Amino acid sequence: MTAKILDGKLVSQEIRKSLEDEIRKLDPKPGLAFVQVGENPASTIYVNLKHKACQQVGIYSEIHRLPESTEEIELLSLINNLNSRQDIHGILIQLPLPSHINSYRALDSINPLKDVDGLNSVNVGYLHQGRPNLIPATPKGIIRLLSYYEIDLEGKNTVVIGRSNLVGRPIAELMTQKNATVTLCHSRSKSLKDITRNADILISAVGNPRFIKGDMVKQGAIVIDVGISKLEDKIVGDIDSETVSEIASYITPVPGGIGPMTIAMVLENTLEAYKKFNS
């Protein structure tokens, strides 16, 4: 068996084309503000990619790059200003923030209706109550990709590796809401291989290059790779695709899998925020 590719690049292009067609008819346009503190190279790349994607679909966007030395009160003041602006419908703080800034306080300062990353405590609460407002982009992208390929989630034994607030916890909740049976694993989980080999759907979000080998995967499993790492000048994921592809039924590539879906969901969330603002 050779696993079929869950092509996030293809699906995201379809989503972006649909968004572009809808946004073309809108006046004024949706607006999204990116906030980056410090000069983390990866953060700069991610922000630039999202900013470019906004331009391509017709969303107005602006980038606020603040120096590493920015005090928390200065960041909160900027967020407060963006909250009050009528032309900005979404606000995205690029993580991580410098250690002297309380990330939770910064995220909670965003108006929940403008929180396109879905990380404000209000939106996290809504998500776990089963009545989400704005859903974190990467978990939302995973669900949309599985839906596109008509993969039934109900009753599926799903294992999520990684318990971050950005991916692991919300995707576990979303899968539960789709009636999957979910096990959330992390660095302290024991006998991990025994757990993963029982997974109908395996989602890895740990950022450990080629961590998941073929002997950790159930025959015919659906494998979602959220990790991204640089190894020997190559971009690789958590999944050792060479060995896992011979066992899994479906697999996401890195790059070209969940990454493009994440960007597409940021755009979609911005449009959703715009519609709620104008409703």
Side-chain angles (χ1 to χ4, degrees):
M1 176 189 294
T2 300
K4 296 178 182 177
I5 297 297
L6 297 172
D7 192 341
K9 185 175 181 180
L10 170 67
V11 178
S12 69
Q13 287 173 342
E14 291 189 15
I15 293 170
R16 286 166 63 159
K17 179 62 170 62
S18 177
L19 292 172
E20 182 181 3
D21 291 343
E22 186 171 356
I23 291 168
R24 186 182 299 116
K25 303 170 186 176
L26 300 176
D27 185 29
K29 303 299 183 186
L32 175 58
F34 298 99
V35 179
Q36 178 184 348
V37 184
E39 299 178 358
N40 182 301
S43 291
T44 299
I45 291 172
Y46 294 147
V47 168
N48 288 344
L49 285 172
K50 294 169 189 173
H51 177 60
K52 183 178 180 181
C54 285
Q55 294 175 322
Q56 290 171 341
V57 301
I59 292 174
Y60 167 75
S61 69
E62 57 189 39
I63 302 175
H64 297 264
R65 287 197 168 99
L66 308 177
E68 184 87 15
S69 60
T70 298
E71 294 295 333
E72 184 176 291
I73 192 170
E74 296 176 83
L75 175 59
L76 297 180
S77 177
L78 170 62
I79 299 301
N80 185 56
N81 176 263
L82 294 172
N83 280 334
S84 66
R85 283 177 52 181
Q86 301 295 299
D87 61 329
I88 295 296
H89 308 95
I91 301 169
L92 191 155
I93 298 176
Q94 185 64 42
L95 301 176
L97 290 171
S99 58
H100 66 277
I101 295 177
N102 185 312
S103 296
Y104 290 113
R105 190 174 294 130
L107 293 169
D108 284 349
S109 71
I110 300 173
N111 181 336
L113 297 177
K114 294 188 176 188
D115 172 35
V116 295
D117 241 358
L119 296 177
N120 178 288
S121 294
V122 172
N123 285 328
V124 172
Y126 278 135
L127 174 64
H128 286 271
Q129 289 179 345
R131 51 190 190 119
N133 173 38
L134 292 167
I135 300 172
T138 298
K140 185 180 182 182
I142 293 170
I143 296 294
R144 288 289 292 279
L145 186 61
L146 292 169
S147 175
Y148 180 90
Y149 284 93
E150 299 182 339
I151 294 171
D152 183 22
L153 305 180
E154 188 161 336
K156 292 292 193 301
N157 185 14
T158 301
V159 172
V160 178
I161 308 176
R163 54 180 168 179
S164 73
N165 292 327
L166 195 61
V167 180
R169 294 177 191 268
I171 190 57
E173 178 61 33
L174 290 172
M175 294 295 286
T176 300
Q177 292 174 16
K178 294 292 184 180
N179 297 317
T181 301
V182 180
T183 302
L184 181 59
C185 298
H186 45 79
S187 60
R188 299 295 188 272
S189 297
K190 296 180 180 179
S191 304
L192 182 62
K193 185 185 293 187
D194 293 337
I195 299 172
T196 60
R197 289 181 68 175
N198 284 316
D200 301 312
I201 301 174
L202 177 59
I203 303 171
S204 184
V206 295
N208 189 341
R210 296 174 180 163
F211 172 64
I212 303 296
K213 308 293 185 183
D215 63 354
M216 299 175 69
V217 177
K218 177 182 178 180
Q219 190 75 37
I222 298 158
V223 181
I224 307 296
D225 193 346
V226 187
I228 185 165
S229 305
K230 194 170 185 181
L231 186 66
E232 299 172 355
D233 294 326
K234 289 184 178 180
I235 300 299
V236 300
D238 291 350
I239 310 300
D240 180 26
S241 57
E242 186 174 334
T243 58
V244 172
S245 291
E246 297 303 314
I247 297 167
S249 59
Y250 290 92
I251 191 171
T252 58
V254 175
I258 301 305
M261 292 300 298
T262 297
I263 294 176
M265 293 302 98
V266 169
L267 303 177
E268 186 174 88
N269 280 353
T270 302
L271 180 57
E272 286 184 16
Y274 171 90
K275 289 177 177 178
K276 290 177 181 178
F277 178 82
N278 287 287
S279 62

